[in-house]
Amino acid sequence: MSRALQHPSADQIGAIKAFVFFLCMLPAAQLILGWRADSLGANPVETITHATGAWTLRLLLITLAVTPLRRYTGLHWLVRLRRMLGLFAFAYGMAHFGIYLWLDHFFDWQAIANDILKRPYITVGFAALMLMVPLALTSNAAAIKRMGGRRWQALHRSVYAIAVFGVLHYWWLVKADILQPLIYSAVLAVLLGLRAWWRELERRRQLAAPPPVAPSLKGKVIRIVPK
Amino acid sequence: MLIKRPADIPASEITPRDLFDDRRRFLQQAGASLIAGAALWHGVPDNARAAATRLSPLASSPFSTTESQTAYKSVTTYNNFYEFGTDKEDPARNADKMAVRPWTVRVEGLAGKPRTFDIDDLLKLAPLEERIYRLRCVEAWSMVVPWVGFPLSALLKQVDPLGSAKYVEFVTHYDASIMTRRQILNWPYTEGLRLDEAMHPLTILAVGLYGEVLPNQNGAPVRLVVPWKYGFKSAKSIVAIRLHEKQPATAWNQSAPQEYGFYSNVNPEVDHPRWSQASERRIGELRKRPTLMFNGYAEQVASLYQGMDLRKHY
Ligand code: HEM
């Protein structure tokens, strides 16, 4: 692999980011232009609901793929795209929810509350989106600094639950054709499975390594009970 | 039933729509079926319009609604016909592969005179009528479709149902070489009605829409239309109709019995377990509208269900 690919310059990173931003905007642009041109099919509201939902989930999974990709390719700069990908997932999720509030329920809050409480697929979708809010709000350097890396990381681990809820939402909403949720589940299973596997490897490594005892204390009696 | 024959052109013939976009598909279809169906058609396709697919004369029907009709393009590109794919636009893309001639429909089971009908005989069985019906899908969208067809009762009477016949089963075409092989539902897709529902004057076998031969994706060459029930009851591309004493199994009921019952009457008060059935989006409209009991056909059909608990028999 070339050096430039391994270690892009700041300018190159900037260009890559701009390009990824552009790519992430494409589905939205397509929907907006399609809406205006009336080319979203016979039921444009459904088209938009499905497209925004699907892109929320895809972007979440792409976000979760960053760490494995980085680990297996050695392209450490990939992590610098992760925040943008996660924020785009959130933006599509909000658009998805917004369309539902507006064009499915016309802001009938009573009916919306009922729906969220009564229909499991809406309940998990809503839970997933609500769990994304704190992650979006803390996706900036200031928040990491304020919270400290450890707490920030602990909070952001909820992304695993969000992805599981997102896939569950999909399982619960399909009528008979389970192919799509099956595919998303398989991808998510690989992404989560890798993490479980890495943990296991780490556990084994720690077990195999000599206990972390300072050599100078070896063989010495350490009195831990007062005389 | 009174059948009147209007002398003038049916409204559908002058309804503006996006026919030109679909010209190519029409021409293909017309070409494929020209050999067998020539008697029905007036003229041959010219290069401006596929006039060969026109069905006439058409009687109008007192059951027709005057509500504005869903655009032809929507009716023919937004379909649930899972054998050809589960995206709404898949059937319009894939159903061309189905050959709708030659085609026969076996009418069998508890019948005094069971018989296999050639599709072209079936088309001459009764005067063709235009029936402009609301169609309400279980997915909470709806359309207004000007079907062309004739009452199913006209066909059933021909085979003399026995006194023991209480139910009618509809078996649809399945051909693994042109349709999905994935077992999304039990293939062939089957549906069923009670005999009195099947004999009801609203229940028709449709062979066309918008005054023309049914496009394949809409269930050519012959499909059921039961306007007071959710759309999936209206089986497409029928190959057999069977009279039974016992209630037959139906595809969606087998797939998810707690969600799709045998009756599947449109009912705004009984929600699908996963979504509300209280309102619907009419295709082409942004706002939703309230769903009507029996899809607005309560006056004609409510008596069929007297004394039944429609929450239990959903
Ligand atoms: C308040 C939160 C949410 C609500 C109310 C909601 C609602 C909906 C609705 C009504 C549909 C269409 C169902 C149908 O047509 O039968 C849908 C589809 C979908 N939603 Fe959501 N959703 C929410 C959050 C999410 C989130 C957070 C994700 C992703 C992680 C997501 C992913 C999807 C997917 C993948 C689809 C299916 C798309 C397709 O069929 O191609 N949703 N959602």
Side-chain angles (χ1 to χ4, degrees):
Chain A
M1 226 172 276
S2 79
R3 251 193 89 70
L5 189 59
Q6 287 285 347
H7 303 285
S9 68
D11 279 356
Q12 284 166 331
I13 289 276
I16 292 167
K17 278 189 172 175
F19 183 62
V20 172
F21 184 90
F22 170 77
L23 288 181
C24 290
M25 287 298 289
L26 280 182
Q30 201 182 12
L31 290 175
I32 292 164
L33 296 177
W35 176 271
R36 298 183 52 170
D38 194 16
S39 64
L40 297 180
N43 193 346
V45 175
E46 181 187 70
T47 305
I48 294 177
T49 304
H50 284 194
T52 50
W55 279 106
T56 308
L57 191 53
R58 284 174 201 151
L59 283 162
L60 262 176
L61 296 180
I62 292 171
T63 309
L64 283 174
V66 166
T67 299
L69 273 178
R70 174 187 174 200
R71 186 156 162 158
Y72 291 121
T73 62
L75 303 177
H76 296 291
W77 54 268
L78 283 174
V79 75
R80 297 175 64 179
L81 301 173
R82 195 169 59 183
R83 178 184 298 165
M84 183 176 18
L85 291 167
L87 284 171
F88 263 110
F90 180 65
Y92 277 100
M94 288 303 281
H96 183 63
F97 189 41
I99 291 289
Y100 163 89
L101 295 179
W102 174 32
L103 293 173
D104 244 8
H105 287 287
F106 299 93
F107 305 111
D108 177 349
W109 300 109
Q110 178 73 42
I112 292 161
N114 261 339
D115 222 27
I116 292 175
L117 293 175
K118 211 166 119 185
R119 314 207 184 276
Y121 91 92
I122 300 283
T123 317
V124 288
F126 185 72
L129 192 66
M130 291 305 105
L131 285 170
M132 285 167 92
V133 172
L135 306 200
L137 291 179
T138 56
S139 284
N140 53 71
I144 301 175
K145 207 162 160 189
R146 192 156 21 84
M147 294 179 70
R150 233 167 220 286
R151 275 180 56 216
W152 186 89
Q153 221 173 20
L155 173 67
H156 280 247
R157 262 190 213 119
S158 63
V159 69
Y160 302 133
I162 292 167
V164 170
F165 285 179
V167 167
L168 206 56
H169 173 66
Y170 207 169
W171 273 105
W172 285 347
L173 72 86
V174 294
K175 276 172 67 206
D177 188 359
I178 55 161
L179 182 62
Q180 290 294 322
L182 195 65
I183 293 170
Y184 285 100
S185 303
V187 172
L188 181 61
V190 169
L191 293 173
L192 295 185
L194 281 174
R195 270 115 175 146
W197 174 237
W198 295 341
R199 276 188 153 221
E200 175 62 18
L201 288 182
E202 178 62 20
R203 194 183 67 87
R204 287 188 197 168
R205 198 185 59 78
Q206 288 188 7
L207 277 180
V213 180
S216 59
L217 297 176
K218 232 181 199 167
K220 292 189 180 154
V221 177
I222 303 165
R223 193 172 280 285
I224 50 170
V225 187
K227 270 188 195 155
Chain B
M1 218 190 70
L2 183 75
I3 298 185
K4 52 183 188 354
R5 283 168 181 279
D8 51 1
I9 309 164
S12 63
E13 296 206 15
I14 48 172
T15 308
R17 53 194 169 69
D18 328 56
L19 184 69
F20 283 77
D21 295 348
D22 293 272
R23 193 196 307 155
R24 218 155 41 104
R25 178 148 22 85
F26 269 100
L27 287 173
Q28 282 169 357
Q29 189 189 35
S33 20
L34 194 66
I35 310 118
L40 266 167
W41 298 337
H42 291 226
V44 290
D46 59 54
N47 43 18
R49 289 179 64 106
T53 58
R54 177 125 314 171
L55 293 166
S56 65
L58 296 183
S60 63
S61 163
F63 291 129
S64 287
T65 171
T66 53
E67 287 164 87
S68 69
Q69 297 166 23
T70 304
Y72 180 85
K73 187 168 178 192
S74 298
V75 174
T76 54
T77 58
Y78 191 76
N79 306 104
N80 279 326
F81 197 160
Y82 277 15
E83 289 88 331
F84 288 112
T86 51
D87 276 353
K88 292 284 186 291
E89 291 171 10
D90 284 342
R93 275 192 290 264
N94 300 327
D96 274 354
K97 292 178 228 153
M98 178 170 63
V100 296
R101 292 292 188 288
W103 191 281
T104 58
V105 180
R106 303 190 309 276
V107 188
E108 57 196 20
L110 301 174
K113 292 187 280 179
R115 197 180 135 188
T116 298
F117 292 84
D118 187 81
I119 185 66
D120 294 309
D121 296 335
L122 205 62
L123 284 160
K124 284 177 255 166
L125 197 83
L128 293 183
E129 294 173 50
E130 177 163 76
R131 297 273 186 116
I132 308 167
Y133 281 165
R134 291 176 289 276
L135 172 79
R136 170 60 159 81
C137 177
V138 73
E139 296 166 340
W141 53 264
S142 64
M143 293 184 176
V144 175
V145 184
W147 301 109
V148 176
F150 57 87
L152 173 62
S153 62
L155 174 67
L156 292 177
K157 279 174 193 156
Q158 297 259 323
V159 301
D160 260 351
L162 301 180
S164 52
K166 295 284 181 299
Y167 291 92
V168 187
E169 179 188 16
F170 302 87
V171 184
T172 68
H173 184 54
Y174 180 71
D175 177 353
S177 69
I178 54 161
M179 292 169 167
T180 185
R181 284 157 200 257
R182 292 196 293 122
Q183 280 287 313
I184 300 164
L185 294 167
N186 281 344
W187 312 128
Y189 185 93
T190 58
E191 255 308 335
L193 294 173
R194 234 168 44 190
L195 186 61
D196 58 344
E197 296 175 326
M199 296 298 285
H200 192 279
L202 275 175
T203 305
I204 60 167
L205 286 177
V207 297
L209 56 81
Y210 267 109
E212 288 168 354
V213 166
L214 210 54
N216 283 7
Q217 62 270 30
N218 293 86
V222 59
R223 66 169 292 169
L224 185 66
V225 176
V226 196
W228 72 93
K229 291 176 181 279
Y230 292 120
F232 66 87
K233 294 296 284 183
S234 295
K236 298 187 175 81
S237 304
I238 292 171
V239 295
I241 296 175
R242 293 189 190 128
L243 291 150
H244 291 281
E245 187 172 355
K246 300 241 163 60
Q247 184 177 302
T250 61
W252 277 103
N253 179 248
Q254 285 175 309
S255 157
Q258 68 292 351
E259 300 190 351
Y260 310 100
F262 177 77
Y263 284 93
S264 299
N265 292 317
V266 175
N267 188 340
E269 280 149 37
V270 178
D271 283 354
H272 184 281
R274 290 182 283 154
W275 55 84
S276 164
Q277 295 293 25
S279 64
E280 67 200 47
R281 175 171 285 117
R282 180 70 49 87
I283 295 301
E285 295 177 0
L286 203 56
R287 279 251 156 213
K288 288 189 168 180
R289 55 172 71 213
T291 288
L292 304 176
M293 188 64 203
F294 296 116
N295 200 22
Y297 298 97
E299 204 184 307
Q300 288 88 359
V301 301
S303 59
L304 295 174
Y305 308 102
Q306 240 163 21
M308 278 177 68
D309 180 355
L310 295 179
R311 290 192 173 273
K312 215 170 110 208
H313 298 281
Y314 51 91

